[in-house]
Amino acid sequence: MDVVIGIDIGGTKTKIGLVNKEGECLEKTFFRTKEYPDLDDYLNKLKETSENLIKGVDKPLNILGCGIGAPNASSKNGTIENASNLLWKGSVPFLEKFQEKMPMPMRIMNDASAAALGEMLFGSAKNMTDFIAITLGTGFGAGIVANGQLIDGFDGFAGELGHVDMTIGDGRLTGLGVKGGLEAYVSATGLKRTILHMQAKYLVDSRFRSIAFNDLHGEDITKAAEEGDKIALMAFDYTAKIMAQALANFTAFTQPAAFILMGGLTNSGKWIMEPLERYFNEFLLDVYKGKVQLMHSGMQGKTAAICGAAALIWETRKD
């Protein structure tokens, strides 16, 4: 059976899976990224984990290659450069060093751009030529497809829409130090910070007044919204309004047929999606109204990032 190794490198976890040509993740596992601050140790762990995953499959496999999605990864240079949530700083020649340990066809790309390729091959964008994939996790990532082509940029760093300065609110810093940047408001982390902002601004009862920031999780905020907690509801509304304004602005760049949303924040369901849709249609220019869909990923679940990474190899073999 032909399979591709898909690797998603996150600040907290590194997820690894074996993906077939239909985009099914046959086996998967993970380890904690931050436990390996030394790059060489990390790469050895990555090799060991990948090989053990392959050995665990009880049928012969033909490994076609390895696709890697990572923050601040350059597909053109094979590097990870100054990623705010990874411990390896500067320009890291990741692809070169990993290929020395596991010689095979290998590609690396910004994780959100990889997710966009995954949506084209396996997900909601199979018949689309113009769309933007939005990843809403610890940060805000974007993969842009226009005229059927991924917009990768001359140096492989296109699509950093999470660091667009929105010049709003209290001027929060993004992971890359952009004041007022989008991901500081529209992300799982941004939502938690908005809870604190709302508690300071409004003197209403809320379950969050007795919860420390580090003990606060997205599921807690969703549950509170379901129970009618006013701070939670205001936080979702605030987040959705900022996101809607940003997506309306991005629509003017490439006129996508859809924004495909994935990641932890989308698990909040109607509490984020209903105000997002309302504000989005309000902010859109008249020429775009009724033409742009807000959609969930067709690769939902914990394997979406793995399948997006694997799409980097499957995309080269689609003909």
Side-chain angles (χ1 to χ4, degrees):
M1 178 188 297
D2 291 341
V3 297
V4 169
I5 302 171
I7 298 173
D8 175 62
I9 302 174
T12 303
K13 293 180 180 179
T14 293
K15 302 173 186 175
I16 307 165
L18 304 175
V19 181
N20 67 15
K21 65 180 179 180
E22 282 78 37
E24 298 168 337
C25 189
L26 308 178
E27 296 287 342
K28 64 180 184 294
T29 188
F30 74 91
F31 63 88
R32 297 198 174 277
T33 310
K34 289 184 178 179
E35 291 181 3
Y36 300 89
D38 179 82
L39 179 63
D40 202 54
D41 290 343
Y42 175 85
L43 294 176
N44 287 334
K45 176 65 175 178
L46 199 55
K47 177 185 178 182
E48 175 191 353
T49 306
S50 299
E51 290 175 343
N52 287 339
L53 202 62
I54 294 167
K55 290 175 185 175
V57 178
D58 60 357
K59 62 181 69 174
L61 297 179
N62 178 33
I63 308 298
L64 299 178
C66 176
I68 305 161
N72 285 58
S74 168
S75 59
K76 305 291 177 65
N77 303 327
T79 55
I80 297 176
E81 302 191 18
N82 301 301
S84 61
N85 59 343
L86 298 179
L87 297 175
W88 324 303
K89 300 306 178 185
S91 181
V92 179
F94 193 94
L95 205 63
E96 176 187 342
K97 287 183 174 294
F98 192 41
Q99 263 185 320
E100 290 174 358
K101 296 180 182 294
M102 293 192 73
M104 65 175 66
M106 200 174 285
R107 294 179 70 195
I108 190 170
M109 185 176 284
N110 175 276
D111 46 1
S113 293
L117 285 180
E119 291 295 337
M120 291 179 77
L121 289 185
F122 310 130
S124 298
K126 286 183 179 179
N127 299 312
M128 290 186 192
T129 58
D130 298 85
F131 70 95
I132 299 177
I134 301 291
T135 58
L136 298 167
T138 305
F140 181 109
I144 305 168
V145 173
N147 298 328
Q149 298 293 317
L150 181 75
I151 306 301
D152 202 18
F154 87 95
D155 202 22
F157 290 107
E160 290 290 350
L161 301 184
H163 300 286
V164 171
D165 182 357
M166 297 294 290
T167 60
I168 51 178
D170 51 356
R172 298 175 192 170
L173 298 178
T174 72
L176 294 182
V178 177
K179 188 174 183 180
L182 180 59
E183 76 164 19
Y185 299 85
V186 183
S187 61
T189 308
L191 181 63
K192 289 171 58 176
R193 291 162 76 178
T194 295
I195 289 290
L196 298 185
H197 170 76
M198 291 298 175
Q199 288 186 97
K201 188 173 181 180
Y202 300 102
L203 299 176
V204 296
D205 290 336
S206 172
R207 69 188 323 195
F208 301 115
R209 296 196 182 278
S210 60
I211 300 177
F213 181 83
N214 288 339
D215 295 327
L216 181 59
H217 303 286
E219 309 90 80
D220 301 326
I221 303 173
T222 300
K223 185 177 180 181
E226 292 170 352
E227 295 172 353
D229 188 289
K230 291 182 179 180
I231 292 293
L233 293 171
M234 287 189 288
F236 277 123
D237 188 80
Y238 182 81
T239 302
K241 188 172 185 178
I242 293 170
M243 185 175 176
Q245 183 180 2
L247 297 188
N249 288 341
F250 300 155
T251 298
F253 296 167
T254 59
Q255 197 197 350
F259 288 95
I260 301 176
L261 311 177
M262 62 191 80
L265 189 55
T266 62
N267 295 333
S268 300
K270 69 175 185 178
W271 305 109
I272 190 72
M273 292 303 297
E274 288 184 1
L276 175 62
E277 290 174 358
R278 182 175 70 252
Y279 286 125
F280 181 59
N281 288 316
E282 177 184 320
F283 286 129
L284 277 176
L285 294 174
D286 287 345
V287 70
Y288 302 131
K289 288 185 187 296
K291 299 178 182 179
V292 188
Q293 299 181 70
L294 299 178
M295 305 173 62
H296 285 293
S297 169
M299 304 186 298
Q300 287 286 42
K302 294 181 179 179
T303 60
I306 293 172
C307 291
L312 295 175
I313 300 297
W314 279 119
E315 189 256 350
T316 66
R317 303 177 66 94
K318 61 185 177 183
D319 296 328

